[in-house]
Amino acid sequence: MFRHKAFSGISLTQQFGRAGGYGYNKPFGHPAKTRLTVFDAQVKRSITLGEVVCELSLVEAGFVRNEQGIYKSPVDTRDYRVVHLPNGLRVLLVSDATTDQAAASMCVHVGAWFDPPELPGLAHFCEHMLFLGTEKYPEENNYSAYLSSHGGGCNAFTAAENTVYFFEIRHEHLSHILDRFAQFFIAPLFTPSATARETLAVDSENKKNLQADVWRLNQLQKHLASKDHPYSKFSTGNAETLGTKPAAAGIDVRAELLKFHEQYYSANQMQLVIVGREDLDTLQKWTEEKFTPAKNNNRERIVFNGKPFTAEQLGTRVHALPVKDVRQLHMSWYLPSTVKEYRKKPDHYIAHLLGHEGPGSVLALVKGKGWATALVAGPEDMAALDFSHFKVKLDLTAEGLEHVDDIVAIVYQYIAMMTEAGPQQWIWEESAKLDFMQALFKDKERAGSTATGLSLSMGIGPLADDWIVLGAHIMDQYDPTLIKSLLAILANPANMRLTIVAKGLKVDSVEPWYGTDYSVQPIAPELLKSWASLPKNPDLALPPVNEFVPTDFELKTPPIPVSVSKDIAPTLIEEGQIKIWHKMDTSFNVPKGAIFFDISAPICYITPENNILNSIYTKMIVASLNEYSYAAELTGSEFKLDSTTTGLQLMSRGYSHKLLTLVERILHRIGDYKTVLNPEMFTVYRDKARRTYENYMQGMAAYMAIYNASMCSELNRWHVDQSAKACPEVTYEDLCNFAPQLLKHLNFEILVFGNITKEDALSLKEIIRRHFNSLPLASVPRVRRVILPSETETHCVRENRILGDKNTSVTNVYQIGRCSYRLHALAELVQTIMSEPLFTLLRTQEQLGYIVQSRVKVDGGVLTVQVIVQSERAPEYLDQRVEFFVSTLPQIIADLSEETFTGFVDSLVSKCLEDDKSMIEQAMRYWEQIFGGSYRFHSSRAMAQVLKNTTKADVLEFVATYITDSPQRCKLSSRITVNDSTTDTGSSNADNQAERVEEKEAKEAKGEEEKAAPADATATTSTTSTTTHTPEKEDKKAAKAVVLVGDFDEFKATLCTYPAPAYEVEDLS
């Protein structure tokens, strides 16, 4: 896969077209031609580093220009205007007459590279502090509380050279929140009390990432960089760099924050995007009123000249030990920055070829040898003005780890082939046109995503005003000289850094910030020389012409407004073994479609072994399709095939013209198991499955608490530990026996949505008949959930699997019951009201941890409200603080003014009635109902009707019944404790494990510490024990007995279950 510059690692649905009829219908030119059929190529003068050989016409391609000359897609109904305020602030205004949400995003040209040497993490700390009060709005939670009560949300992130702040809110409240947002950049307070407390939040955020391999490897590369370049800095900050060390050195951190903001937050180095329903003149008036006071100190844009690695630091081999069991090979080059070359994107051409997955590609060759399973190539997600980090990353097999030098040699053989052949204009033209397709038929994004993406694009590079909307997405100038200059750097192995990540490598050093074990050695000169002069490899070739490029862009029916379309549900047009739901929809004015399959096969999950075999078989199917499915993916037709607890799920989307062709190929491969089965690939994917299972429980503490909570309530679910244990035992012979059994009895439930006719949808029945001889199932399996007991309180306590990780977590699940429109509406309203005060109390004021959140979940038709906290405090204490907040919730609700309460209700009603933003968003909304078995296609509209008649008394009754400690409450507290052990006792007594966890929990409640052995292999299969805690042993508020979950299955076997969701005719009267 190639990593596109604008989207870094995200697989693109590249698309192209030209106006004609209802939609677009224009063929591609033949690649052998030197000029495009659709576009006129023009020879241009030399520009910067290279020479433009041809330039594509955006107007002839189908793009339009608005009154200000800004290029955009003809299906983009938004209008744009660039405004330059007197203080130097550059603003892009986006008027969208149909948007339900408004948004804004500010990108400031200051980031982690600007940190003073004595205060690592200061830029990130400054980002945190801007949310905690300004001179005009001094209350710490004023900004977040206003957003929360008006259907909004916010966030921010600090990058190397930029910091981005953004929010989204109901459109009618844009003016008021803009006034609050503007004060971030005019007069923030940085109060002493908030500064002291927020240091702990930054520290908690850093600790959250300490065991995450992606963070560890990123910091390792920075640690090994030249200390003369800011790339080498530690950017997050922690309690030591922002607290103890500066205090010992006599540094006033608050004074430094004020100084930092004053120096770097200059209006002429900011880029603002505002999206609203108002017209452009109104948006401009608000912008000028609210943001003109931002100070301009005429700061020049800082460019950190130099290279992050010296010549001596290149040509090296790094070994790094991961936390999880992964095997990776990273080849890194540091190229001249191409940020200013946004119309050429020369690295895009190189990434397209090195990351290709079709016949003749690097991946096809190394995968065929059994050395790797995936490859990604392209610039890293860090745009800098002085260099670009280009990387080829491969996921290795066990055998591939033994052939690292051979894999590197193959990459260099491909680079040599590219260099000798020279840049191919037809390849560039095809790639450029695919980019045009993507931009012309780009799905409409939410207001928040639009604002954030555009502000970041404006902040990263010098986009001209007319290219401000499209600049990150397309290229129109072919410059082979510039491509050659970058290839020349890649072709010299002495310019490369090689990093191998795997367990068991020899290491001799420790990175100081994250504790990563590593070693670094120069690559032998003889080896570098050999890589530079390799013979041609006959198995490598440039990609062929893409056969999946669509040529028919006609809409099958005239589009209708989305506001009308959203209330038209899919129709069941075929029943029986093959059930087909269909909705023809062109309301988004794009010639795209989506086809989703739920393939039911109960045999796939009856044992852990079958679950493993189903997963392996699914991955082998995808791998066998890769060489031509990748070509389809490049043109916008992509698919995802997953194993599920009930069978297989196939999700495909893209241009309706070629989508059915792709789907039939996939179905053919699923049904023709003999072409999939391969003993060598089985070994590769069994190993990958084993590592996936083992790595899963090494995840973040909060994720593990959520997972265990689900294990406590979902019936017939195998724990990943059971799968990890069984995985090495399954054999290729088992798979050969499993595959035909899997296909013997199948049911299909399908959603066909978008620019696809009913006739084409019904043709899927015949396609399935051609490729499957399956018998129908007597019944279709559905996920079931247990009814948690109300007479007791359920605790599930497990230890953190990562030794040395001090993070703990609590997920408190308040089970409401079988989901109805009324209960769901009330749960969403309660969660909306409680989210901000919960965050303010536990995160901002008490600083329990970086992760504090609440959410509503519907799984298997069962409704829950959940509170999630990750911390370093004892889980028992976290539960007590959550319960304290819960006890105050009735008073919080009672104290709401009628105006404020009505605001919460109105915002939630508006959210329920929002138009879908894109074809895929609407398709996914329908699929969620079909796949879950509830078929409530109009659930949002029904909830809105309930909410309009909801009173404060209704909400208080709901909270009193289901959330606060009441006789009817059904509560599960899933807890992750710190693993303090350094050795495994080898104990296999499950009862002892349950007792040990229970005793430890009780001691933690008293603030005591205990050294305990880690959970052994039977930790998740211990017996369920029930204990009545005395006030001395438990918080005095807890009057109920506590059920401590040992074995998940034994616990669930004692409980009744909710009925599975079933189709019901919706009554919206």
Side-chain angles (χ1 to χ4, degrees):
M1 178 186 295
F2 78 89
R3 176 186 283 120
H4 188 282
K5 187 174 186 63
F7 295 94
S8 184
I10 298 175
S11 174
L12 297 179
T13 52
Q14 317 279 345
Q15 321 224 2
F16 166 80
R18 178 181 170 85
Y22 289 131
Y24 300 82
N25 189 0
K26 204 71 174 180
F28 272 71
H30 192 278
K33 297 181 180 179
T34 57
R35 292 162 63 91
L36 301 177
T37 302
V38 177
F39 312 105
D40 288 326
Q42 304 176 42
V43 177
K44 292 289 185 180
R45 60 181 174 80
S46 295
I47 299 178
T48 61
L49 300 180
E51 182 178 341
V52 176
V53 171
C54 79
E55 182 172 304
L56 309 182
S57 168
L58 270 65
V59 173
E60 291 188 21
F63 293 101
V64 297
R65 304 184 78 172
N66 69 3
E67 290 182 1
Q68 201 180 12
I70 297 173
Y71 287 107
K72 67 171 189 171
S73 164
V75 302
D76 183 355
T77 59
R78 292 165 166 165
D79 202 5
Y80 302 88
R81 177 185 294 172
V82 177
V83 175
H84 297 266
L85 298 188
N87 59 2
L89 177 63
R90 189 186 189 203
V91 186
L92 174 62
L93 305 175
V94 184
S95 175
D96 184 348
T98 63
T99 187
D100 299 297
Q101 295 286 111
S105 178
M106 179 77 86
C107 181
V108 186
H109 179 58
V110 61
W113 287 4
F114 293 72
D115 287 344
E118 66 278 9
L119 287 170
L122 189 68
H124 180 219
F125 191 21
C126 181
E127 171 223 303
H128 275 238
M129 290 301 301
L130 295 195
F131 288 85
L132 300 179
T134 61
E135 289 182 8
K136 187 172 183 179
Y137 301 99
E139 301 89 351
E140 285 186 6
N141 70 333
N142 181 280
Y143 176 70
S144 59
Y146 190 88
L147 284 166
S148 177
S149 61
H150 295 89
C154 62
N155 213 329
F157 61 87
T158 302
E161 295 184 279
N162 295 285
T163 304
V164 179
Y165 303 83
F166 50 95
F167 71 80
E168 192 174 65
I169 195 170
R170 295 300 309 161
H171 72 88
E172 59 266 29
H173 304 292
L174 176 60
S175 176
H176 294 292
I177 196 63
L178 276 178
D179 197 52
R180 289 163 170 81
F181 186 59
Q183 297 303 310
F184 282 26
F185 315 102
I186 297 171
L189 284 178
F190 299 106
T191 64
S193 62
T195 302
R197 279 184 280 107
E198 201 61 19
T199 304
L200 301 177
V202 173
D203 187 63
S204 180
E205 181 178 356
N206 178 63
K207 288 175 177 175
K208 170 181 70 70
N209 300 325
L210 289 179
Q211 302 302 321
D213 284 321
V214 64
W215 286 86
R216 294 165 68 89
L217 294 174
N218 181 50
Q219 184 57 43
L220 174 60
Q221 297 305 322
K222 296 199 291 185
H223 172 67
L224 296 174
S226 168
K227 303 308 174 189
D228 294 330
H229 196 283
Y231 175 70
S232 64
K233 292 182 177 183
F234 168 59
S235 58
T236 307
N238 58 27
E240 181 183 16
T241 67
L242 299 171
T244 55
K245 276 193 174 181
I251 298 174
D252 184 341
V253 176
R254 178 176 179 269
E256 292 298 319
L257 283 168
L258 289 164
K259 177 182 174 183
F260 187 87
H261 190 277
E262 173 71 17
Q263 180 177 357
Y264 292 117
Y265 278 67
S266 176
N268 72 320
Q269 295 300 328
M270 298 180 187
Q271 311 281 339
L272 174 65
V273 177
I274 298 175
V275 182
R277 185 178 284 194
E278 292 74 15
D279 60 69
L280 291 172
D281 290 340
T282 301
L283 292 176
Q284 180 170 341
K285 178 175 179 291
W286 290 350
T287 302
E288 291 169 347
E289 291 173 350
K290 300 174 191 308
F291 289 90
T292 298
K295 184 179 178 181
N296 177 14
N297 58 23
N298 295 308
R299 178 171 71 82
E300 294 293 326
R301 187 175 179 92
I302 296 175
V303 178
F304 296 93
N305 294 315
K307 297 180 179 180
F309 292 93
T310 64
E312 293 74 22
Q313 294 170 317
L314 299 174
T316 57
R317 184 191 303 263
V318 178
H319 285 179
L321 299 186
V323 173
K324 295 185 176 182
D325 189 0
V326 297
R327 306 186 199 101
Q328 296 173 350
L329 168 62
H330 302 250
M331 299 172 66
S332 297
W333 296 265
Y334 297 86
L335 308 177
S337 174
T338 58
V339 166
K340 295 180 180 179
E341 308 296 342
Y342 59 89
R343 294 183 63 178
K344 303 175 183 178
K345 296 184 176 63
D347 46 4
H348 182 121
Y349 175 91
I350 297 171
H352 171 63
L353 294 179
L354 280 176
H356 210 279
E357 299 180 13
S361 66
V362 171
L363 180 61
L365 180 54
V366 296
K367 183 184 282 189
K369 292 178 178 291
W371 294 348
T373 58
L375 180 151
V376 177
E380 282 284 88
D381 188 16
M382 180 191 65
L385 289 176
D386 61 336
F387 75 92
S388 170
H389 180 190
F390 190 96
K391 179 187 286 188
V392 173
K393 173 190 167 186
L394 296 103
D395 291 340
L396 303 179
T397 65
E399 186 178 355
L401 191 61
E402 303 300 319
H403 289 273
V404 165
D405 290 352
D406 296 322
I407 294 171
V408 173
I410 290 172
V411 173
Y412 272 106
Q413 285 177 315
Y414 200 94
I415 293 173
M417 180 189 68
M418 293 169 61
T419 302
E420 182 179 352
Q424 300 293 298
Q425 184 168 338
W426 77 263
I427 294 177
W428 179 87
E429 289 175 352
E430 182 179 85
S431 184
K433 289 188 290 185
L434 293 176
D435 283 349
F436 277 19
M437 290 167 60
Q438 163 71 3
L440 279 166
F441 294 112
K442 187 174 182 292
D443 288 333
K444 186 176 182 179
E445 297 177 317
R446 295 190 65 86
S449 299
T450 297
T452 305
L454 286 171
S455 73
L456 186 58
S457 295
M458 292 163 63
I460 287 174
L463 290 175
D465 285 357
D466 56 342
W467 274 72
I468 204 164
V469 174
L470 298 177
H473 306 291
I474 64 173
M475 55 186 181
D476 73 326
Q477 294 179 344
Y478 174 54
D479 188 342
T481 303
L482 185 52
I483 295 171
K484 289 178 183 177
S485 70
L486 298 184
L487 273 175
I489 298 172
L490 266 63
N492 184 355
N495 294 326
M496 175 196 64
R497 287 177 56 82
L498 188 63
T499 302
I500 301 102
V501 183
K503 298 280 191 182
L505 298 175
K506 292 182 179 180
V507 294
D508 55 22
S509 303
V510 179
E511 189 279 321
W513 295 109
Y514 287 78
T516 304
D517 295 300
Y518 75 96
S519 65
V520 57
Q521 297 291 335
I523 299 173
E526 304 80 36
L527 185 56
L528 291 175
K529 186 176 179 181
S530 71
W531 284 337
S533 55
L534 292 163
K536 291 182 179 179
N537 192 323
D539 295 322
L540 296 175
L542 295 174
V545 176
N546 194 327
E547 65 175 299
F548 279 94
V549 174
T551 57
D552 181 3
F553 305 101
E554 291 291 338
L555 299 183
K556 306 298 183 183
T557 185
I560 62 175
V562 177
S563 57
V564 176
S565 167
K566 70 177 182 180
D567 291 330
I568 303 173
T571 303
L572 186 61
I573 61 173
E574 183 68 33
E575 297 190 67
Q577 181 187 12
I578 303 172
K579 185 185 291 187
I580 303 176
W581 296 86
H582 174 254
K583 180 182 176 183
M584 186 167 178
D585 191 302
T586 58
S587 58
F588 297 98
N589 202 26
V590 292
K592 299 178 183 179
I595 305 176
F596 301 155
F597 292 75
D598 178 16
I599 305 174
S600 297
I603 189 177
C604 75
Y605 205 72
I606 58 175
T607 66
E609 290 79 9
N610 279 20
N611 177 38
I612 296 162
L613 291 168
N614 189 39
S615 176
I616 293 172
Y617 181 60
T618 302
K619 288 178 173 55
M620 290 176 66
I621 293 170
V622 174
S624 72
L625 288 164
N626 193 69
E627 291 194 5
Y628 66 80
S629 65
Y630 182 74
E633 181 181 322
L634 290 176
T635 66
S637 295
E638 54 189 0
F639 77 94
K640 190 171 188 287
L641 180 66
D642 289 313
S643 58
T644 69
T645 59
T646 56
L648 302 173
Q649 179 178 238
L650 169 62
M651 306 180 75
S652 64
R653 64 171 180 171
Y655 272 94
S656 50
H657 180 210
K658 298 280 180 103
L659 190 57
L660 278 170
T661 302
L662 176 65
V663 166
E664 179 163 11
R665 290 197 185 185
I666 299 167
L667 292 174
H668 170 69
R669 190 57 54 90
I670 294 173
D672 187 11
Y673 66 90
K674 291 180 181 179
T675 63
V676 175
L677 298 178
N678 177 293
E680 290 78 20
M681 293 310 293
F682 168 79
T683 301
V684 167
Y685 283 100
R686 180 182 61 181
D687 172 68
K688 192 169 184 177
R690 175 192 60 78
R691 289 184 290 123
T692 299
Y693 295 134
E694 293 176 353
N695 289 338
Y696 187 86
M697 296 307 290
Q698 302 251 344
M700 202 162 62
Y703 294 159
M704 295 305 97
I706 293 169
Y707 174 78
N708 289 333
S710 182
M711 282 297 305
C712 287
S713 62
E714 185 177 333
L715 285 180
N716 304 320
R717 182 172 180 181
W718 303 114
H719 195 281
V720 290
D721 285 349
Q722 294 169 297
S723 298
K725 183 178 180 180
C727 193
E729 305 303 320
V730 300
T731 65
Y732 179 65
E733 183 180 2
D734 293 333
L735 182 63
C736 292
N737 293 328
F738 170 81
Q741 291 298 314
L742 173 71
L743 301 173
K744 191 173 183 180
H745 292 86
L746 297 175
N747 274 22
F748 297 81
E749 187 158 19
I750 309 166
L751 171 65
V752 182
F753 180 82
N755 191 44
I756 303 173
T757 65
K758 180 180 179 180
E759 291 71 27
D760 283 340
L762 287 170
S763 72
L764 287 168
K765 182 177 180 180
E766 295 308 313
I767 290 173
I768 290 170
R769 296 291 186 212
R770 279 201 297 271
H771 301 297
F772 295 88
N773 295 312
S774 308
L775 298 172
L777 299 170
S779 62
V780 176
R782 294 292 186 190
V783 174
R784 302 280 298 277
R785 296 277 171 175
V786 300
I787 303 173
L788 293 175
S790 59
E791 65 276 7
T792 58
E793 185 170 300
T794 306
H795 291 187
C796 176
V797 186
R798 298 291 185 268
E799 289 180 335
N800 192 324
R801 299 286 183 89
I802 304 176
L803 291 175
D805 186 1
K806 300 301 181 184
N807 285 300
T808 64
S809 186
V810 159
T811 292
N812 280 0
V813 179
Y814 304 95
Q815 190 180 75
I816 311 305
R818 189 173 182 184
C819 189
S820 67
Y821 294 138
R822 182 177 185 277
L823 288 176
H824 196 179
L826 286 167
E828 293 286 0
L829 183 54
V830 168
Q831 193 282 140
T832 301
I833 293 171
M834 70 185 282
S835 62
E836 194 282 326
L838 173 75
F839 187 89
T840 297
L841 177 67
L842 302 187
R843 163 70 147 70
T844 305
Q845 296 176 1
E846 298 190 8
Q847 289 293 331
L848 289 189
Y850 183 71
I851 297 175
V852 175
Q853 64 183 64
S854 58
R855 65 177 186 171
V856 173
K857 286 281 287 179
V858 181
D859 289 309
V862 177
L863 177 68
T864 61
V865 176
Q866 302 180 7
V867 177
I868 302 158
V869 181
Q870 180 170 298
S871 176
E872 289 191 331
R873 306 292 293 271
E876 180 66 15
Y877 180 74
L878 300 181
D879 174 68
Q880 290 174 4
R881 298 314 299 156
V882 171
E883 284 299 303
F884 170 77
F885 171 80
V886 164
S887 71
T888 68
L889 188 54
Q891 193 61 50
I892 291 173
I893 296 169
D895 289 344
L896 294 174
S897 67
E898 282 303 314
E899 180 183 0
T900 303
F901 178 79
T902 301
F904 278 115
V905 172
D906 290 346
S907 292
L908 199 52
V909 167
S910 297
K911 183 177 180 180
C912 290
L913 297 178
E914 275 186 13
D915 290 344
D916 299 299
K917 301 300 181 291
S918 65
M919 182 215 70
I920 195 63
E921 183 176 314
Q922 190 171 126
M924 288 300 298
R925 178 165 62 85
Y926 294 141
W927 185 243
E928 181 181 347
Q929 297 297 322
I930 294 171
F931 188 73
S934 60
Y935 307 98
R936 293 179 171 178
F937 300 122
H938 298 295
S939 59
S940 295
R941 182 152 58 96
M943 286 172 57
Q945 291 180 5
V946 171
L947 286 165
K948 290 175 182 178
N949 298 312
T950 297
T951 66
K952 190 185 293 186
D954 295 330
V955 176
L956 288 169
E957 180 185 6
F958 178 91
V959 170
T961 303
Y962 299 109
I963 308 297
T964 58
D965 196 1
S966 70
Q968 299 94 337
R969 182 174 77 166
C970 301
K971 176 192 169 187
L972 163 65
S973 183
S974 177
R975 305 174 181 185
I976 299 296
T977 66
V978 172
N979 187 341
D980 294 320
S981 309
T982 55
T983 59
D984 193 331
T985 64
S987 170
S988 60
N989 189 314
D991 290 313
N992 288 343
Q993 167 66 14
E995 292 170 4
R996 185 166 70 245
V997 172
E998 178 189 351
E999 181 181 356
K1000 181 175 182 179
E1001 181 187 64
K1003 288 187 176 183
E1004 286 174 337
K1006 297 180 181 180
E1008 299 177 15
E1009 295 182 355
E1010 180 192 37
K1011 298 291 183 182
D1016 53 41
T1018 60
T1020 58
T1021 57
S1022 60
T1023 342
T1024 301
S1025 61
T1026 304
T1027 307
T1028 303
H1029 288 262
T1030 62
E1032 291 77 24
K1033 201 171 185 182
E1034 181 90 4
D1035 188 340
K1036 293 181 180 180
K1037 293 182 294 182
K1040 293 182 179 180
V1042 171
V1043 172
L1044 187 65
V1045 178
D1047 179 84
F1048 289 112
D1049 292 330
E1050 290 182 15
F1051 166 71
K1052 289 180 282 192
T1054 65
L1055 303 175
C1056 297
T1057 61
Y1058 286 102
Y1063 176 75
E1064 299 175 3
V1065 177
E1066 291 183 286
D1067 181 7
L1068 301 181
S1069 59

